[in-house]
Amino acid sequence: MRGRPARLPAPIKCYGFPDQVNAYYRNASFLADFVLAFEELFNNIFYLGPLREYPQRDYTWSGQRPQDVG
């Protein structure tokens, strides 16, 4: 089929390419490798959580004076 192909379906998980892409385009086989590399890269990211204490309504004062406020 020549010319512009029909509209492709939506991406998978915002970064993956549907299987129809390989049918529409001749040189699209590298996209599967791209998706695999992307998933492997982001599998190595870990959420550390908040790096500060959760805000409280009242704080106990230890009696010490701070050297500065900022």
Side-chain angles (χ1 to χ4, degrees), residues 35-56:
V35 171
L36 180 63
F38 186 87
E39 287 181 348
E40 287 177 352
L41 177 69
F42 279 89
N43 279 336
N44 295 325
I45 295 177
F46 298 98
Y47 177 69
L48 297 178
L51 300 177
R52 61 178 177 87
E53 292 183 21
Y54 191 76
Q56 301 173 6

Side-chain angles (χ1 to χ4, degrees), residues 8-64:
L8 292 173
I12 302 165
K13 294 184 182 178
C14 83
Y15 61 85
F17 298 92
D19 292 333
Q20 290 87 347
V21 171
N22 289 328
Y24 288 149
Y25 301 103
R26 282 185 265 168
N27 299 327
S29 60
F30 73 94
L31 293 176
D33 297 332
F34 172 74
V35 171
L36 180 63
F38 186 87
E39 287 181 348
E40 287 177 352
L41 177 69
F42 279 89
N43 279 336
N44 295 325
I45 295 177
F46 298 98
Y47 177 69
L48 297 178
L51 300 177
R52 61 178 177 87
E53 292 183 21
Y54 191 76
Q56 301 173 6
R57 185 169 183 87
D58 296 318
Y59 295 91
T60 56
W61 183 45
S62 64
Q64 298 176 343

